[in-house]
Amino acid sequence: MSALDAWLADLRATALIGSGRRDPDDPPAVVGVARLGLDVSREERLLDGAALADVLGRAGSRLPAAAPLIDPAAAETRAVVSPEAARLLLLLLTQPPVSKVARDDLLVQWLDHADAAGQRVPPLLLPPLLTHAVAHREVAAALGETPGERGRWLAGLNPEWSSLAVRPEMAAAVPDTAQTGPADDWTATWPQLPTAEAVAVFERARDARPDAARALLQDQWDSLPARTRAECVRRLTVAVTPADEPLLERALDDRSKTVRESAYAVLDLLPTSARGQRMAARLRDLLRTHGTVRRSLEVDVPDDPDAAGERDGLVRRSGDGVQPRTRWLESIIRGAPLSVWTDVTGRSATATLRMLNDQSALNALCATVLARADAGWASALLASGVDRPGIVALLPDDERRSVLTARLGAKTVPHEVRELLAREPRPWGDGLARAVLRALTRSTTGEPFAYTVGPLLPTALPTSLGKEIEQAVNRLPPGSRARRALSDTLQTHAFRNSLSEAFR
């Protein structure tokens, strides 16, 4: 045992039994530390020895294995933005002077300006920007080349940012799997997948490779569980085309009721199909016009269906409380082309609707217009005095905005108008924006209306109405939600102007 090992062993023994019973030895000469002297107490000598032993232990420990060197970032090809532009970005990322919705809109605008100018984000702001972009898809999609080579390099090093480094140009986050097609060998494993997974893969494949997805479903039809067949048929609802008709006709003869009902719903959206023409013939037999001066349109209920009618969905359903003939009429209306109505009356859709007094038929007709998102018939419904939830949303842009503007003048703004405003492209046109300002400054609607529309205003109200927004702020009571929303709007407009100036 070396002198050093003996001293360490003695030190441990002294610490174990106590310095009161054992006098700790001084460290050996090999350590190169002067003796502590007899005037130092035993306790201090023990503690000093323990401290020295700790230092010796640390100094003698092995260094951890060296990590492999990381390749540096490639040389930058873009210049850094101006100090003023960098300051605005720092403000948006750390202390945004606007609402959360407006902040992301302004971040996208900042990135668009920088990308258009061929400039990049300052290195110190890359971490907070990438962290924010991962959680905000619209910001990630606007990154473009603004992170530069260092930003791409950083994104590759941090697993939390890795999704931003998949595309070399860093134009967007990793695409959602629902937007990409499955692997090339998906057709081999698809039939063995559980229903939920098989349907998800089919849905992705239909989006990316509709012909291949349809062909596979047709080939594997008889071997698939009924639930899988039904769910895959339902997925045809999105972007159904005449090419899907043979598969849907096959589904009408399926042994499973669930599969057949799924096919009815999809074929209702394909009025040009053979089933649609069969339903058209049935509907024509039920429509009758009466009168000369004041014409009306009557709708008969169908007789008991034959085998062909049952195949097309005219079947009895129990437990829904609706008379079978009424249910069959609704099925015929939903499956037939809308043009049948005007063909029978010889009049426009608006005039035809004004002739119709049968409420059950009108309800089914409205449901058909909504399901097919038919803008022309939606306009006709409103013109004839029929207003149902969802109809206004189908109108052409100018007509929809005109309706919204008119309805904003009501004493109580309808809830549907608030929902439609949230979906309306921003910034709004001056006419619609002015109607919103009037609604906000009315004492009867201002505050309740501001609760739902307030967050939209910074990005929805155009900068061209700056003076009018200021006037509206001055008319509103201090502390009101409407006033705060409009004040935030003015601040957002000012910040937007600062962005434009910073990149000139």
Side-chain angles (χ1 to χ4, degrees):
M1 178 183 293
S2 67
L4 179 60
D5 290 334
W7 174 73
L8 291 172
D10 178 77
L11 189 66
R12 285 192 293 270
T14 304
L16 181 63
I17 63 176
S19 58
R21 300 175 59 187
R22 182 175 179 138
D23 188 11
D25 290 339
D26 286 323
V30 69
V31 176
V33 176
R35 296 176 62 86
L36 297 176
L38 297 178
D39 57 336
V40 178
S41 67
R42 290 183 174 185
E43 291 80 4
E44 289 179 282
R45 291 169 65 195
L46 176 61
L47 292 175
D48 287 343
L52 177 59
D54 179 65
V55 170
L56 293 174
R58 291 176 183 274
S61 63
R62 291 181 177 273
L63 292 174
L69 294 177
I70 299 174
D71 292 333
E76 297 288 0
T77 59
R78 289 184 163 210
V80 178
V81 297
S82 67
E84 176 60 16
R87 185 188 70 81
L88 294 175
L89 178 59
L90 175 63
L91 194 60
L92 286 173
L93 291 172
T94 58
Q95 293 179 313
V98 294
S99 67
K100 291 181 179 180
V101 175
R103 174 178 67 171
D104 283 352
D105 180 74
L106 291 172
L107 278 171
V108 169
Q109 185 176 346
W110 191 99
L111 293 167
D112 288 344
H113 278 306
D115 212 24
Q119 298 174 348
R120 60 184 171 89
V121 177
L124 288 177
L125 296 183
L126 284 170
L129 175 62
L130 297 179
T131 299
H132 187 85
V134 167
H136 298 81
R137 185 179 291 267
E138 64 277 15
V139 177
L143 286 174
E145 293 286 348
T146 60
E149 297 298 333
R150 188 171 304 187
R152 187 177 302 121
W153 176 75
L154 283 174
L157 295 176
N158 187 340
E160 294 182 2
W161 301 335
S162 60
S163 63
L164 300 173
V166 170
R167 298 182 180 179
E169 70 277 16
M170 296 195 65
V174 176
D176 192 293
T177 54
Q179 298 176 350
T180 59
D184 291 336
D185 62 349
W186 71 284
T187 58
T189 59
W190 185 73
Q192 286 77 45
L193 294 175
T195 294
E197 189 174 349
V199 172
V201 171
F202 176 81
E203 189 171 18
R204 297 197 299 270
R206 178 167 170 79
D207 183 61
R209 310 169 190 176
D211 293 338
R214 186 190 314 110
L216 180 63
L217 182 57
Q218 288 174 325
D219 292 344
Q220 300 294 330
W221 186 266
D222 292 330
S223 64
L224 296 172
R227 183 182 172 191
T228 301
R229 297 197 303 274
E231 291 295 332
C232 287
V233 168
R234 288 194 188 100
R235 296 313 187 272
L236 300 179
T237 300
V238 179
V240 61
T241 69
D244 298 317
E245 185 178 351
L247 177 61
L248 293 168
E249 281 285 336
R250 180 178 184 178
L252 293 179
D253 296 316
D254 197 87
R255 59 185 180 275
S256 168
K257 176 184 175 182
T258 305
V259 174
R260 297 194 300 271
E261 289 180 342
S262 297
Y264 303 152
V266 179
L267 282 167
D268 284 346
L269 305 179
L270 200 63
T272 58
S273 65
R275 177 181 178 266
Q277 298 309 306
R278 296 192 294 268
M279 289 299 196
R282 296 182 181 109
L283 181 58
R284 287 191 191 96
D285 291 340
L286 302 176
L287 300 181
R288 300 285 186 274
T289 58
H290 292 277
T292 304
V293 178
R294 184 178 178 83
R295 300 187 68 191
S296 63
L297 178 62
E298 294 185 359
V299 185
D300 295 333
V301 292
D303 295 328
D304 288 353
D306 55 13
E310 291 179 351
R311 178 178 182 271
D312 281 337
L314 306 184
V315 294
R316 293 181 180 272
R317 293 181 175 87
S318 59
D320 59 6
V322 180
Q323 291 295 325
R325 297 185 193 283
T326 301
R327 183 65 73 199
W328 297 334
L329 173 62
E330 293 173 352
S331 296
I332 291 171
I333 292 173
R334 288 197 304 269
L338 290 165
S339 59
V340 172
W341 296 87
T342 52
D343 290 344
V344 169
T345 63
R347 295 189 172 188
S348 67
T350 301
T352 298
L353 287 164
R354 287 172 176 164
M355 295 169 59
L356 182 61
N357 296 317
D358 188 301
Q359 195 60 47
S360 295
L362 183 59
N363 289 341
L365 191 51
C366 288
T368 304
V369 171
L370 288 169
R372 297 180 190 169
D374 192 298
W377 274 85
S379 298
L381 283 168
L382 283 181
S384 62
V386 179
D387 186 11
R388 303 291 170 84
I391 293 294
V392 175
L394 300 179
L395 298 176
D397 290 348
D398 290 344
E399 189 175 349
R400 183 184 64 253
R401 290 165 189 150
S402 178
V403 171
L404 289 176
T405 299
R407 295 188 179 185
L408 283 166
K411 290 184 177 180
T412 302
V413 178
H415 184 69
E416 185 186 15
V417 171
R418 306 179 191 193
E419 293 179 346
L420 290 170
L421 286 173
R423 299 200 296 266
E424 192 70 20
R426 292 173 244 173
W428 299 329
D430 287 0
L432 179 59
R434 287 191 177 100
V436 170
L437 284 176
R438 288 193 294 270
L440 284 168
T441 53
R442 283 200 306 269
S443 59
T444 55
T445 59
E447 280 303 277
F449 186 44
Y451 271 91
T452 52
V453 79
L456 308 175
L457 300 181
T459 56
L461 293 180
T463 55
S464 58
L465 299 187
K467 294 279 188 186
E468 296 174 51
I469 297 172
E470 289 181 13
Q471 293 170 0
V473 169
N474 294 331
R475 290 198 299 270
L476 289 165
S480 67
R481 180 175 290 270
R483 180 166 179 152
R484 290 199 302 272
L486 291 177
S487 298
D488 288 345
T489 300
L490 291 173
Q491 193 165 0
T492 301
H493 287 178
F495 200 99
R496 188 174 284 117
N497 291 335
S498 298
L499 285 183
S500 299
E501 291 292 334
F503 283 97
R504 283 182 182 175

